[in-house]
Amino acid sequence: MGVLVPGEVLRVSPWLGIAAIVAANAVSRAAAKRTQDHFGVDSKNGVGSTTVVEGLRERKKRRTRQHISQVATSLFVQRGFDQVTIAEVAAAAEVSVNTVYNYFPTKEDLVLPPEEASPQRLADIVRARPAGQSAAAAVLAQLRAEVARRDRKLGLSPGFGPVLAMMRAAPTLLARLEDLGGQMTEALAAVLTEETGADPQDPLPRVVAHQLGGLHSLVYAELGARLAEGADPEELAEAASRLLDAIEHALGDDLLTYATRREDQACSE
């Protein structure tokens, strides 16, 4: 089938999806900053615009936070996470050290802000599935949709690789990502337990959650390996599509039909 299952390049871990989303957001922030600097465009509100929803103070705080994060990420990618101090981030961003800590209580938060490094991704996908769709089908459909639209969170954008590589090279970031990956699997297991009415001691929802977490991470591992080989976004998308086909073909009916939402069952959001 031509599917690469990476070993040494990028091992399959539950946190891969979280890391990829954070890396993609970092790339997006950097691109938005370049657009704003060149054209005077506020990436959130448009050309020279202000909104009633976001006041001037909130807008300034958001921009300061984004600026610090973008500067820090650039330094971390250039020199390595462990080789850059908060004082150096503050100096490069032209703010005080206290300002950095006001926005980011820990150094790791500069790379993994809580609002982006959420362990709820799989749980949210399953909660939002329509009637007649199983948990596995919901996850596969979401991944297929993201591949089809070349979603940046899958790494289908320039600049993604160096950010992801920087995170993988930092032990403290890996430790946090491992913890978030475990939380993601447990959050999905809790949703499956609730929706199927399973006994809290029933291991099946946890087994299914780990299976879905594994296939979700395998997609990111495949993309990470291809990215390391220099694949372009189109090649990455083709590889992901082949892998998703292989995964769906290999899964048994028990997993593919588990937690199929009934017509009378409302979304658990």
Side-chain angles (χ1 to χ4, degrees), residues 50-204:
T50 57
T51 68
V52 176
V53 175
E54 183 181 48
L56 185 60
R57 178 182 175 83
E58 288 73 22
R59 186 181 184 188
K60 182 178 179 181
K61 289 175 66 174
R62 173 174 59 80
R63 284 182 166 179
T64 299
R65 180 181 177 86
Q66 289 176 344
H67 174 64
I68 294 171
S69 177
Q70 190 267 330
V71 168
T73 300
S74 179
L75 289 174
F76 295 153
V77 168
Q78 291 171 19
R79 296 167 47 194
F81 180 79
D82 292 330
Q83 280 65 54
V84 178
T85 67
I86 292 295
E88 289 172 321
V89 170
E94 299 183 324
V95 298
S96 70
V97 170
N98 284 342
T99 297
V100 175
Y101 280 119
N102 285 340
Y103 285 96
F104 301 95
T106 71
K107 185 180 177 183
E108 289 72 25
D109 287 338
L110 284 161
V111 180
L112 300 171
E115 69 273 13
E116 291 180 11
S118 170
Q120 293 297 317
R121 171 168 161 83
L122 291 178
D124 287 344
I125 291 171
V126 170
R127 286 191 191 100
R129 74 196 186 286
Q133 190 174 62
S134 69
V139 173
L140 289 171
Q142 178 68 26
L143 289 170
R144 289 188 188 281
E146 290 171 355
V147 170
R149 65 175 178 261
R150 305 300 190 260
D151 197 300
R152 60 187 176 82
K153 72 168 61 74
L154 291 179
L156 305 181
S157 60
F160 175 90
V163 178
L164 185 59
M166 174 272 292
M167 287 192 283
R168 291 177 52 227
T172 56
L173 292 178
L174 277 182
R176 181 176 290 195
L177 284 166
E178 289 285 4
D179 183 56
L180 287 168
Q183 291 178 41
M184 183 169 66
T185 303
E186 290 305 313
L188 177 57
V191 170
L192 293 174
T193 298
E194 177 187 352
E195 293 206 359
T196 60
D199 186 275
Q201 302 305 314
D202 187 346
L204 187 55

Side-chain angles (χ1 to χ4, degrees), residues 129-133 195-197 259-267:
R129 74 196 186 286
Q133 190 174 62
E195 293 206 359
T196 60
T260 298
R261 173 159 282 153
R262 304 186 307 271
E263 293 290 340
D264 61 346
Q265 190 176 19
C267 291

Side-chain angles (χ1 to χ4, degrees), residues 166-259:
M166 174 272 292
M167 287 192 283
R168 291 177 52 227
T172 56
L173 292 178
L174 277 182
R176 181 176 290 195
L177 284 166
E178 289 285 4
D179 183 56
L180 287 168
Q183 291 178 41
M184 183 169 66
T185 303
E186 290 305 313
L188 177 57
V191 170
L192 293 174
T193 298
E194 177 187 352
E195 293 206 359
T196 60
D199 186 275
Q201 302 305 314
D202 187 346
L204 187 55
R206 296 197 303 279
V207 171
V208 172
H210 278 270
Q211 289 290 314
L212 297 184
L215 69 85
H216 176 259
S217 295
L218 180 58
V219 172
Y220 285 99
E222 168 83 354
L223 293 172
R226 299 279 181 172
L227 198 61
E229 295 171 352
D232 61 33
E234 290 305 310
E235 291 171 328
L236 290 174
E238 182 181 346
S241 294
R242 289 200 305 270
L243 180 57
L244 287 167
D245 288 342
I247 288 171
E248 188 164 8
H249 179 73
L251 294 179
D253 287 342
D254 287 346
L255 183 56
L256 284 172
T257 60
Y258 183 78

